[in-house]
Amino acid sequence: MRTAGVYPNHFTFSAVLPACASTSILVHGQQMHCLISKHGYEGYVFVGSALVDMYAKCHDMGLAEKVFVALPERNIVSWNSMIVGCLLNSFHVKALFLFREVRKEDLFSPNQVSFSTVLSASANIGALEFGKQVHGVVVKQGLLTLSYVKNSLMDMYFKCGLFDEGALLFNSLGIENRDVIAWNVMSMGCVYNENFEEACNYLWVMKRAGISPDEASYSTALHASAHLAALDQGTLIHNQTIKSGFSTNTCIASSLITMYAKCGSLDDACRVFEEIDNPNVVCWTALIAACQQHGNGNHVIKLFEKMLADGLKPHYITFVCVISACSHTGRVEEGHAYFNSMEKVHGIIPGHEHYACMVDLLGRSGQLDEARKFIAQMPIKPNASVWGALLGACAKYGNLEMGSEVAGRLFELEPDNPGNYILLANMYAHKGKLREADHVRRLMGINRVRKEPGCSWIDVKNKSFVFTVHDKLHARTDEIYEMLKKVKELVTNKGYVPQTQFAVNSAEELKEESLWYHSEKIALAFGLLALPAGAPIRIKKNLRTCGDCHTVMKFASEIWKREIILRDVNRFHHFRNGLCSCRDYW
């Protein structure tokens, strides 16, 4: 940096500090700071602003604020460095406070960077009213025409759940003024508000408008396809990424892995991973999550150990997947070991998701008392996911005493969740306590809690067909019910015994019959009719599949010699030759 007789000046330091910030190497920045202090340039506003920016990007907001407070003079760049730093480090409330403070300055006003950043901070914490106030100031200062600000406004409204307001801003942009960022914000807005089909459609509309999608565009569309479990749509988008030169992009690769996994094609997800030259931790985690969702717990452990051997540091979500995989494969000791290694070895503080997985791990193995003790010893207050895992275990093992206590806690934490009421009512019904079961169902009515109707859907020739319980709306209803009779006859001959405990809402004499009207069985019958012989049958369900349907699927896969892939709200079940990938441990 320095040659004999030539000393760096304040311009040199303000030019070099952004390089330290871009590499996020704190020690280099601190060395620069020492030189700056030595040469007496610390009080120069643009040098001080660059220092604030450097510390913020190196994730040390304490030092950033110390430099900022010590500045004898501040300009809008200094303030923006602090506001942007707060956004980068998730100090969103602090960003809002600093924005209020900068508006009190007499010599300068917030600029487009200030507005865009504070709108992003508002969006991230759902501060809608504050965001609306900022919108008003934007209009007053005549900055609404700036795409940088308008895109942030759209994003704020979308993340706060006001889809129509965000869409109105997007539509107010002329087609010629919509850059790729505007299109991406609009697509993500659709995803935030669960308009997944629209999110996919915007990718093609963008291309027709002459805008070249970037990695965010493709990742968003793939994310939407994954939610829809739309394999054909996701495959088309994959083809476009290859044509557009994004085949080596790790961000898109991780989205592709997730898309294929959620669409039921684990083999394609693995193939995408194998084609990545240097997979990063996000790609590894995407594949680990994919295998966990598909019940390949043993492979999850192998992948995780391979990732560690390659020198990659796991992150928060990686451990959620790994401990969950241990839970679903009965690896109690290994699950404990991985959980304990989080903070001791990897410096990751466990969160509610990890504690919920541990409770699930103990609960699934029948260790309900140990699970209860584990919750009591948690250093953080257990939330609904933790108590929900224990309630599920109580239901599985019929521990009504503990289950009723846990359900009471859940009714307080999430009074609008119908699943907790239904689990408790079913537990009472299974124990023959019908009066108590009816009381729980009446409590749902009093609290105006409604159970989401169960439905299953199946894709045939690029068209989705949705079936509900006892569905008779399809044009081929007669054929479907004839096929159901055939399925019932054949599986019974193979040894099927009805599990009437899964027909709790039916009269005793109708329980066995009502089991055959479950939506996934109707979807199965339609798949056997409509899909070519030997083709996989892919069924999706919005709720957890019941044990009786699970048993029927196993028998059907063996009888018809074809793979049946059932995606329910929790995971994938791959049925082949009379066996399920979950090994009946689910």
Side-chain angles (χ1 to χ4, degrees), residues 32-66:
M32 286 293 126
H33 194 171
C34 290
L35 283 171
I36 287 165
S37 299
K38 180 180 178 181
H39 290 283
Y41 295 134
E42 205 169 14
Y44 285 72
V45 65
F46 40 88
V47 175
S49 301
L51 274 171
V52 171
D53 180 65
M54 181 274 295
Y55 280 124
K57 287 177 178 172
C58 290
H59 307 293
D60 193 331
M61 284 304 295
L63 286 174
E65 186 166 19
K66 189 175 179 181

PDB file of all heavy atoms in Angstrom, residues 32-66:
ATOM      1  N   MET A  32      -6.638  -1.399   8.997  1.00  0.00           N
ATOM      2  CA  MET A  32      -6.842  -0.118   8.308  1.00  0.00           C
ATOM      3  C   MET A  32      -7.240   0.967   9.305  1.00  0.00           C
ATOM      4  O   MET A  32      -6.760   2.111   9.245  1.00  0.00           O
ATOM      5  CB  MET A  32      -7.939  -0.254   7.245  1.00  0.00           C
ATOM      6  CG  MET A  32      -7.541  -1.006   5.996  1.00  0.00           C
ATOM      7  SD  MET A  32      -6.307  -0.098   5.066  1.00  0.00           S
ATOM      8  CE  MET A  32      -5.069  -1.368   4.943  1.00  0.00           C
ATOM      9  N   HIS A  33      -8.118   0.592  10.247  1.00  0.00           N
ATOM     10  CA  HIS A  33      -8.590   1.556  11.250  1.00  0.00           C
ATOM     11  C   HIS A  33      -7.415   2.077  12.088  1.00  0.00           C
ATOM     12  O   HIS A  33      -7.332   3.276  12.398  1.00  0.00           O
ATOM     13  CB  HIS A  33      -9.639   0.884  12.154  1.00  0.00           C
ATOM     14  CG  HIS A  33     -10.413   1.857  12.986  1.00  0.00           C
ATOM     15  ND1 HIS A  33     -11.516   1.498  13.734  1.00  0.00           N
ATOM     16  CD2 HIS A  33     -10.253   3.188  13.209  1.00  0.00           C
ATOM     17  CE1 HIS A  33     -11.986   2.554  14.365  1.00  0.00           C
ATOM     18  NE2 HIS A  33     -11.239   3.598  14.074  1.00  0.00           N
ATOM     19  N   CYS A  34      -6.500   1.175  12.435  1.00  0.00           N
ATOM     20  CA  CYS A  34      -5.318   1.593  13.210  1.00  0.00           C
ATOM     21  C   CYS A  34      -4.477   2.602  12.423  1.00  0.00           C
ATOM     22  O   CYS A  34      -4.011   3.614  12.969  1.00  0.00           O
ATOM     23  CB  CYS A  34      -4.467   0.378  13.572  1.00  0.00           C
ATOM     24  SG  CYS A  34      -5.230  -0.709  14.792  1.00  0.00           S
ATOM     25  N   LEU A  35      -4.275   2.328  11.139  1.00  0.00           N
ATOM     26  CA  LEU A  35      -3.503   3.260  10.292  1.00  0.00           C
ATOM     27  C   LEU A  35      -4.210   4.606  10.170  1.00  0.00           C
ATOM     28  O   LEU A  35      -3.578   5.662  10.185  1.00  0.00           O
ATOM     29  CB  LEU A  35      -3.296   2.637   8.906  1.00  0.00           C
ATOM     30  CG  LEU A  35      -2.229   1.539   8.790  1.00  0.00           C
ATOM     31  CD1 LEU A  35      -2.302   0.885   7.419  1.00  0.00           C
ATOM     32  CD2 LEU A  35      -0.833   2.119   9.036  1.00  0.00           C
ATOM     33  N   ILE A  36      -5.548   4.550  10.033  1.00  0.00           N
ATOM     34  CA  ILE A  36      -6.327   5.789   9.915  1.00  0.00           C
ATOM     35  C   ILE A  36      -6.165   6.635  11.171  1.00  0.00           C
ATOM     36  O   ILE A  36      -5.951   7.859  11.105  1.00  0.00           O
ATOM     37  CB  ILE A  36      -7.816   5.449   9.664  1.00  0.00           C
ATOM     38  CG1 ILE A  36      -8.001   4.925   8.232  1.00  0.00           C
ATOM     39  CG2 ILE A  36      -8.716   6.666   9.893  1.00  0.00           C
ATOM     40  CD1 ILE A  36      -9.331   4.234   7.997  1.00  0.00           C
ATOM     41  N   SER A  37      -6.259   5.979  12.339  1.00  0.00           N
ATOM     42  CA  SER A  37      -6.098   6.702  13.611  1.00  0.00           C
ATOM     43  C   SER A  37      -4.691   7.274  13.739  1.00  0.00           C
ATOM     44  O   SER A  37      -4.495   8.414  14.192  1.00  0.00           O
ATOM     45  CB  SER A  37      -6.382   5.756  14.791  1.00  0.00           C
ATOM     46  OG  SER A  37      -7.699   5.278  14.731  1.00  0.00           O
ATOM     47  N   LYS A  38      -3.709   6.477  13.299  1.00  0.00           N
ATOM     48  CA  LYS A  38      -2.312   6.910  13.390  1.00  0.00           C
ATOM     49  C   LYS A  38      -2.067   8.172  12.570  1.00  0.00           C
ATOM     50  O   LYS A  38      -1.332   9.070  12.988  1.00  0.00           O
ATOM     51  CB  LYS A  38      -1.418   5.775  12.901  1.00  0.00           C
ATOM     52  CG  LYS A  38       0.074   6.083  12.947  1.00  0.00           C
ATOM     53  CD  LYS A  38       0.898   4.901  12.447  1.00  0.00           C
ATOM     54  CE  LYS A  38       2.370   5.223  12.446  1.00  0.00           C
ATOM     55  NZ  LYS A  38       3.195   4.081  11.935  1.00  0.00           N
ATOM     56  N   HIS A  39      -2.704   8.236  11.392  1.00  0.00           N
ATOM     57  CA  HIS A  39      -2.504   9.393  10.516  1.00  0.00           C
ATOM     58  C   HIS A  39      -3.496  10.527  10.780  1.00  0.00           C
ATOM     59  O   HIS A  39      -3.457  11.548  10.107  1.00  0.00           O
ATOM     60  CB  HIS A  39      -2.599   8.963   9.053  1.00  0.00           C
ATOM     61  CG  HIS A  39      -1.449   8.114   8.600  1.00  0.00           C
ATOM     62  ND1 HIS A  39      -0.209   8.630   8.305  1.00  0.00           N
ATOM     63  CD2 HIS A  39      -1.331   6.767   8.427  1.00  0.00           C
ATOM     64  CE1 HIS A  39       0.612   7.656   7.943  1.00  0.00           C
ATOM     65  NE2 HIS A  39      -0.044   6.511   8.014  1.00  0.00           N
ATOM     66  N   GLY A  40      -4.412  10.333  11.744  1.00  0.00           N
ATOM     67  CA  GLY A  40      -5.323  11.402  12.136  1.00  0.00           C
ATOM     68  C   GLY A  40      -6.471  11.653  11.193  1.00  0.00           C
ATOM     69  O   GLY A  40      -7.001  12.778  11.159  1.00  0.00           O
ATOM     70  N   TYR A  41      -6.884  10.638  10.438  1.00  0.00           N
ATOM     71  CA  TYR A  41      -7.964  10.834   9.467  1.00  0.00           C
ATOM     72  C   TYR A  41      -9.322  10.343   9.975  1.00  0.00           C
ATOM     73  O   TYR A  41     -10.310  10.337   9.238  1.00  0.00           O
ATOM     74  CB  TYR A  41      -7.648  10.094   8.161  1.00  0.00           C
ATOM     75  CG  TYR A  41      -6.430  10.631   7.433  1.00  0.00           C
ATOM     76  CD1 TYR A  41      -5.471   9.758   6.925  1.00  0.00           C
ATOM     77  CD2 TYR A  41      -6.251  12.001   7.257  1.00  0.00           C
ATOM     78  CE1 TYR A  41      -4.353  10.239   6.259  1.00  0.00           C
ATOM     79  CE2 TYR A  41      -5.143  12.498   6.596  1.00  0.00           C
ATOM     80  CZ  TYR A  41      -4.192  11.610   6.097  1.00  0.00           C
ATOM     81  OH  TYR A  41      -3.088  12.097   5.432  1.00  0.00           O
ATOM     82  N   GLU A  42      -9.391   9.920  11.233  1.00  0.00           N
ATOM     83  CA  GLU A  42     -10.614   9.313  11.759  1.00  0.00           C
ATOM     84  C   GLU A  42     -11.781  10.290  11.770  1.00  0.00           C
ATOM     85  O   GLU A  42     -12.937   9.897  11.665  1.00  0.00           O
ATOM     86  CB  GLU A  42     -10.366   8.802  13.188  1.00  0.00           C
ATOM     87  CG  GLU A  42     -11.288   7.692  13.602  1.00  0.00           C
ATOM     88  CD  GLU A  42     -10.831   7.030  14.901  1.00  0.00           C
ATOM     89  OE1 GLU A  42      -9.963   7.608  15.586  1.00  0.00           O
ATOM     90  OE2 GLU A  42     -11.323   5.943  15.214  1.00  0.00           O
ATOM     91  N   GLY A  43     -11.478  11.593  11.878  1.00  0.00           N
ATOM     92  CA  GLY A  43     -12.542  12.584  11.951  1.00  0.00           C
ATOM     93  C   GLY A  43     -13.078  13.023  10.605  1.00  0.00           C
ATOM     94  O   GLY A  43     -14.063  13.765  10.538  1.00  0.00           O
ATOM     95  N   TYR A  44     -12.451  12.588   9.494  1.00  0.00           N
ATOM     96  CA  TYR A  44     -12.941  12.943   8.167  1.00  0.00           C
ATOM     97  C   TYR A  44     -14.249  12.196   7.897  1.00  0.00           C
ATOM     98  O   TYR A  44     -14.311  10.966   8.042  1.00  0.00           O
ATOM     99  CB  TYR A  44     -11.907  12.596   7.098  1.00  0.00           C
ATOM    100  CG  TYR A  44     -10.734  13.548   7.036  1.00  0.00           C
ATOM    101  CD1 TYR A  44      -9.762  13.544   8.031  1.00  0.00           C
ATOM    102  CD2 TYR A  44     -10.605  14.453   5.985  1.00  0.00           C
ATOM    103  CE1 TYR A  44      -8.687  14.418   7.991  1.00  0.00           C
ATOM    104  CE2 TYR A  44      -9.520  15.328   5.926  1.00  0.00           C
ATOM    105  CZ  TYR A  44      -8.565  15.305   6.936  1.00  0.00           C
ATOM    106  OH  TYR A  44      -7.508  16.174   6.886  1.00  0.00           O
ATOM    107  N   VAL A  45     -15.265  12.919   7.478  1.00  0.00           N
ATOM    108  CA  VAL A  45     -16.605  12.335   7.383  1.00  0.00           C
ATOM    109  C   VAL A  45     -16.665  11.169   6.398  1.00  0.00           C
ATOM    110  O   VAL A  45     -17.301  10.144   6.671  1.00  0.00           O
ATOM    111  CB  VAL A  45     -17.648  13.419   7.031  1.00  0.00           C
ATOM    112  CG1 VAL A  45     -17.422  14.011   5.639  1.00  0.00           C
ATOM    113  CG2 VAL A  45     -19.052  12.848   7.144  1.00  0.00           C
ATOM    114  N   PHE A  46     -15.971  11.290   5.243  1.00  0.00           N
ATOM    115  CA  PHE A  46     -16.097  10.184   4.289  1.00  0.00           C
ATOM    116  C   PHE A  46     -15.255   8.981   4.701  1.00  0.00           C
ATOM    117  O   PHE A  46     -15.578   7.845   4.387  1.00  0.00           O
ATOM    118  CB  PHE A  46     -15.777  10.623   2.855  1.00  0.00           C
ATOM    119  CG  PHE A  46     -14.622  11.555   2.694  1.00  0.00           C
ATOM    120  CD1 PHE A  46     -13.344  11.079   2.540  1.00  0.00           C
ATOM    121  CD2 PHE A  46     -14.827  12.934   2.689  1.00  0.00           C
ATOM    122  CE1 PHE A  46     -12.281  11.935   2.374  1.00  0.00           C
ATOM    123  CE2 PHE A  46     -13.764  13.803   2.542  1.00  0.00           C
ATOM    124  CZ  PHE A  46     -12.470  13.306   2.383  1.00  0.00           C
ATOM    125  N   VAL A  47     -14.148   9.223   5.452  1.00  0.00           N
ATOM    126  CA  VAL A  47     -13.369   8.105   5.993  1.00  0.00           C
ATOM    127  C   VAL A  47     -14.170   7.420   7.107  1.00  0.00           C
ATOM    128  O   VAL A  47     -14.268   6.185   7.162  1.00  0.00           O
ATOM    129  CB  VAL A  47     -12.010   8.583   6.537  1.00  0.00           C
ATOM    130  CG1 VAL A  47     -11.263   7.430   7.203  1.00  0.00           C
ATOM    131  CG2 VAL A  47     -11.163   9.174   5.422  1.00  0.00           C
ATOM    132  N   GLY A  48     -14.768   8.217   7.992  1.00  0.00           N
ATOM    133  CA  GLY A  48     -15.594   7.672   9.074  1.00  0.00           C
ATOM    134  C   GLY A  48     -16.780   6.887   8.536  1.00  0.00           C
ATOM    135  O   GLY A  48     -17.120   5.807   9.052  1.00  0.00           O
ATOM    136  N   SER A  49     -17.419   7.411   7.478  1.00  0.00           N
ATOM    137  CA  SER A  49     -18.563   6.709   6.873  1.00  0.00           C
ATOM    138  C   SER A  49     -18.125   5.362   6.308  1.00  0.00           C
ATOM    139  O   SER A  49     -18.832   4.355   6.439  1.00  0.00           O
ATOM    140  CB  SER A  49     -19.177   7.561   5.759  1.00  0.00           C
ATOM    141  OG  SER A  49     -19.607   8.810   6.265  1.00  0.00           O
ATOM    142  N   ALA A  50     -16.943   5.339   5.670  1.00  0.00           N
ATOM    143  CA  ALA A  50     -16.425   4.089   5.114  1.00  0.00           C
ATOM    144  C   ALA A  50     -16.104   3.088   6.224  1.00  0.00           C
ATOM    145  O   ALA A  50     -16.299   1.877   6.055  1.00  0.00           O
ATOM    146  CB  ALA A  50     -15.178   4.363   4.271  1.00  0.00           C
ATOM    147  N   LEU A  51     -15.609   3.597   7.364  1.00  0.00           N
ATOM    148  CA  LEU A  51     -15.355   2.712   8.506  1.00  0.00           C
ATOM    149  C   LEU A  51     -16.647   2.103   9.045  1.00  0.00           C
ATOM    150  O   LEU A  51     -16.718   0.906   9.345  1.00  0.00           O
ATOM    151  CB  LEU A  51     -14.662   3.496   9.627  1.00  0.00           C
ATOM    152  CG  LEU A  51     -13.141   3.617   9.560  1.00  0.00           C
ATOM    153  CD1 LEU A  51     -12.641   4.614  10.608  1.00  0.00           C
ATOM    154  CD2 LEU A  51     -12.482   2.252   9.766  1.00  0.00           C
ATOM    155  N   VAL A  52     -17.683   2.944   9.174  1.00  0.00           N
ATOM    156  CA  VAL A  52     -18.990   2.443   9.635  1.00  0.00           C
ATOM    157  C   VAL A  52     -19.481   1.344   8.706  1.00  0.00           C
ATOM    158  O   VAL A  52     -19.924   0.270   9.141  1.00  0.00           O
ATOM    159  CB  VAL A  52     -20.019   3.591   9.712  1.00  0.00           C
ATOM    160  CG1 VAL A  52     -21.423   3.036   9.981  1.00  0.00           C
ATOM    161  CG2 VAL A  52     -19.632   4.595  10.786  1.00  0.00           C
ATOM    162  N   ASP A  53     -19.386   1.600   7.413  1.00  0.00           N
ATOM    163  CA  ASP A  53     -19.833   0.626   6.405  1.00  0.00           C
ATOM    164  C   ASP A  53     -19.037  -0.677   6.503  1.00  0.00           C
ATOM    165  O   ASP A  53     -19.599  -1.777   6.425  1.00  0.00           O
ATOM    166  CB  ASP A  53     -19.681   1.240   5.015  1.00  0.00           C
ATOM    167  CG  ASP A  53     -20.113   0.288   3.905  1.00  0.00           C
ATOM    168  OD1 ASP A  53     -21.308  -0.044   3.849  1.00  0.00           O
ATOM    169  OD2 ASP A  53     -19.258  -0.121   3.105  1.00  0.00           O
ATOM    170  N   MET A  54     -17.714  -0.537   6.688  1.00  0.00           N
ATOM    171  CA  MET A  54     -16.852  -1.718   6.763  1.00  0.00           C
ATOM    172  C   MET A  54     -17.213  -2.575   7.976  1.00  0.00           C
ATOM    173  O   MET A  54     -17.387  -3.800   7.870  1.00  0.00           O
ATOM    174  CB  MET A  54     -15.388  -1.290   6.822  1.00  0.00           C
ATOM    175  CG  MET A  54     -14.383  -2.436   6.876  1.00  0.00           C
ATOM    176  SD  MET A  54     -14.058  -3.043   8.570  1.00  0.00           S
ATOM    177  CE  MET A  54     -13.291  -1.594   9.303  1.00  0.00           C
ATOM    178  N   TYR A  55     -17.350  -1.949   9.157  1.00  0.00           N
ATOM    179  CA  TYR A  55     -17.673  -2.712  10.359  1.00  0.00           C
ATOM    180  C   TYR A  55     -19.055  -3.363  10.248  1.00  0.00           C
ATOM    181  O   TYR A  55     -19.261  -4.502  10.697  1.00  0.00           O
ATOM    182  CB  TYR A  55     -17.607  -1.816  11.594  1.00  0.00           C
ATOM    183  CG  TYR A  55     -16.195  -1.601  12.102  1.00  0.00           C
ATOM    184  CD1 TYR A  55     -15.669  -0.314  12.262  1.00  0.00           C
ATOM    185  CD2 TYR A  55     -15.390  -2.687  12.433  1.00  0.00           C
ATOM    186  CE1 TYR A  55     -14.371  -0.117  12.724  1.00  0.00           C
ATOM    187  CE2 TYR A  55     -14.089  -2.500  12.895  1.00  0.00           C
ATOM    188  CZ  TYR A  55     -13.585  -1.222  13.045  1.00  0.00           C
ATOM    189  OH  TYR A  55     -12.299  -1.044  13.497  1.00  0.00           O
ATOM    190  N   ALA A  56     -19.997  -2.649   9.661  1.00  0.00           N
ATOM    191  CA  ALA A  56     -21.359  -3.192   9.500  1.00  0.00           C
ATOM    192  C   ALA A  56     -21.337  -4.432   8.613  1.00  0.00           C
ATOM    193  O   ALA A  56     -21.966  -5.449   8.921  1.00  0.00           O
ATOM    194  CB  ALA A  56     -22.283  -2.134   8.919  1.00  0.00           C
ATOM    195  N   LYS A  57     -20.590  -4.353   7.511  1.00  0.00           N
ATOM    196  CA  LYS A  57     -20.534  -5.492   6.591  1.00  0.00           C
ATOM    197  C   LYS A  57     -19.693  -6.644   7.141  1.00  0.00           C
ATOM    198  O   LYS A  57     -19.796  -7.768   6.649  1.00  0.00           O
ATOM    199  CB  LYS A  57     -20.013  -5.040   5.230  1.00  0.00           C
ATOM    200  CG  LYS A  57     -21.045  -4.219   4.460  1.00  0.00           C
ATOM    201  CD  LYS A  57     -20.541  -3.701   3.139  1.00  0.00           C
ATOM    202  CE  LYS A  57     -21.643  -2.932   2.412  1.00  0.00           C
ATOM    203  NZ  LYS A  57     -21.140  -2.247   1.191  1.00  0.00           N
ATOM    204  N   CYS A  58     -18.864  -6.340   8.141  1.00  0.00           N
ATOM    205  CA  CYS A  58     -18.130  -7.404   8.827  1.00  0.00           C
ATOM    206  C   CYS A  58     -18.905  -7.887  10.063  1.00  0.00           C
ATOM    207  O   CYS A  58     -18.386  -8.622  10.897  1.00  0.00           O
ATOM    208  CB  CYS A  58     -16.749  -6.914   9.254  1.00  0.00           C
ATOM    209  SG  CYS A  58     -15.629  -6.643   7.863  1.00  0.00           S
ATOM    210  N   HIS A  59     -20.176  -7.437  10.180  1.00  0.00           N
ATOM    211  CA  HIS A  59     -21.117  -7.882  11.214  1.00  0.00           C
ATOM    212  C   HIS A  59     -20.676  -7.514  12.628  1.00  0.00           C
ATOM    213  O   HIS A  59     -20.897  -8.281  13.577  1.00  0.00           O
ATOM    214  CB  HIS A  59     -21.351  -9.397  11.104  1.00  0.00           C
ATOM    215  CG  HIS A  59     -21.750  -9.831   9.725  1.00  0.00           C
ATOM    216  ND1 HIS A  59     -22.947  -9.471   9.159  1.00  0.00           N
ATOM    217  CD2 HIS A  59     -21.094 -10.567   8.791  1.00  0.00           C
ATOM    218  CE1 HIS A  59     -23.023  -9.975   7.935  1.00  0.00           C
ATOM    219  NE2 HIS A  59     -21.904 -10.629   7.688  1.00  0.00           N
ATOM    220  N   ASP A  60     -20.037  -6.351  12.761  1.00  0.00           N
ATOM    221  CA  ASP A  60     -19.717  -5.842  14.097  1.00  0.00           C
ATOM    222  C   ASP A  60     -20.388  -4.473  14.253  1.00  0.00           C
ATOM    223  O   ASP A  60     -19.754  -3.425  14.082  1.00  0.00           O
ATOM    224  CB  ASP A  60     -18.196  -5.728  14.295  1.00  0.00           C
ATOM    225  CG  ASP A  60     -17.828  -5.520  15.761  1.00  0.00           C
ATOM    226  OD1 ASP A  60     -18.650  -4.933  16.493  1.00  0.00           O
ATOM    227  OD2 ASP A  60     -16.731  -5.942  16.158  1.00  0.00           O
ATOM    228  N   MET A  61     -21.683  -4.505  14.567  1.00  0.00           N
ATOM    229  CA  MET A  61     -22.431  -3.256  14.665  1.00  0.00           C
ATOM    230  C   MET A  61     -22.033  -2.445  15.901  1.00  0.00           C
ATOM    231  O   MET A  61     -22.240  -1.238  15.945  1.00  0.00           O
ATOM    232  CB  MET A  61     -23.935  -3.539  14.683  1.00  0.00           C
ATOM    233  CG  MET A  61     -24.516  -3.903  13.320  1.00  0.00           C
ATOM    234  SD  MET A  61     -24.178  -2.644  12.055  1.00  0.00           S
ATOM    235  CE  MET A  61     -25.092  -1.236  12.680  1.00  0.00           C
ATOM    236  N   GLY A  62     -21.448  -3.116  16.895  1.00  0.00           N
ATOM    237  CA  GLY A  62     -20.984  -2.387  18.074  1.00  0.00           C
ATOM    238  C   GLY A  62     -19.889  -1.396  17.708  1.00  0.00           C
ATOM    239  O   GLY A  62     -19.952  -0.216  18.082  1.00  0.00           O
ATOM    240  N   LEU A  63     -18.886  -1.846  16.944  1.00  0.00           N
ATOM    241  CA  LEU A  63     -17.807  -0.958  16.510  1.00  0.00           C
ATOM    242  C   LEU A  63     -18.301   0.056  15.486  1.00  0.00           C
ATOM    243  O   LEU A  63     -17.846   1.206  15.469  1.00  0.00           O
ATOM    244  CB  LEU A  63     -16.651  -1.784  15.928  1.00  0.00           C
ATOM    245  CG  LEU A  63     -15.796  -2.543  16.952  1.00  0.00           C
ATOM    246  CD1 LEU A  63     -14.776  -3.426  16.255  1.00  0.00           C
ATOM    247  CD2 LEU A  63     -15.099  -1.568  17.898  1.00  0.00           C
ATOM    248  N   ALA A  64     -19.252  -0.379  14.639  1.00  0.00           N
ATOM    249  CA  ALA A  64     -19.807   0.551  13.646  1.00  0.00           C
ATOM    250  C   ALA A  64     -20.468   1.731  14.349  1.00  0.00           C
ATOM    251  O   ALA A  64     -20.242   2.904  13.990  1.00  0.00           O
ATOM    252  CB  ALA A  64     -20.816  -0.177  12.754  1.00  0.00           C
ATOM    253  N   GLU A  65     -21.246   1.440  15.366  1.00  0.00           N
ATOM    254  CA  GLU A  65     -21.942   2.514  16.093  1.00  0.00           C
ATOM    255  C   GLU A  65     -20.951   3.384  16.861  1.00  0.00           C
ATOM    256  O   GLU A  65     -21.130   4.605  16.963  1.00  0.00           O
ATOM    257  CB  GLU A  65     -22.977   1.913  17.037  1.00  0.00           C
ATOM    258  CG  GLU A  65     -23.834   2.974  17.713  1.00  0.00           C
ATOM    259  CD  GLU A  65     -25.067   2.392  18.386  1.00  0.00           C
ATOM    260  OE1 GLU A  65     -25.082   1.170  18.647  1.00  0.00           O
ATOM    261  OE2 GLU A  65     -25.997   3.174  18.658  1.00  0.00           O
ATOM    262  N   LYS A  66     -19.902   2.768  17.391  1.00  0.00           N
ATOM    263  CA  LYS A  66     -18.889   3.533  18.133  1.00  0.00           C
ATOM    264  C   LYS A  66     -18.219   4.565  17.229  1.00  0.00           C
ATOM    265  O   LYS A  66     -18.030   5.728  17.617  1.00  0.00           O
ATOM    266  CB  LYS A  66     -17.847   2.564  18.697  1.00  0.00           C
ATOM    267  CG  LYS A  66     -16.865   3.188  19.663  1.00  0.00           C
ATOM    268  CD  LYS A  66     -15.950   2.133  20.264  1.00  0.00           C
ATOM    269  CE  LYS A  66     -14.951   2.760  21.224  1.00  0.00           C
ATOM    270  NZ  LYS A  66     -14.037   1.739  21.809  1.00  0.00           N
TER     271      LYS A  66
END
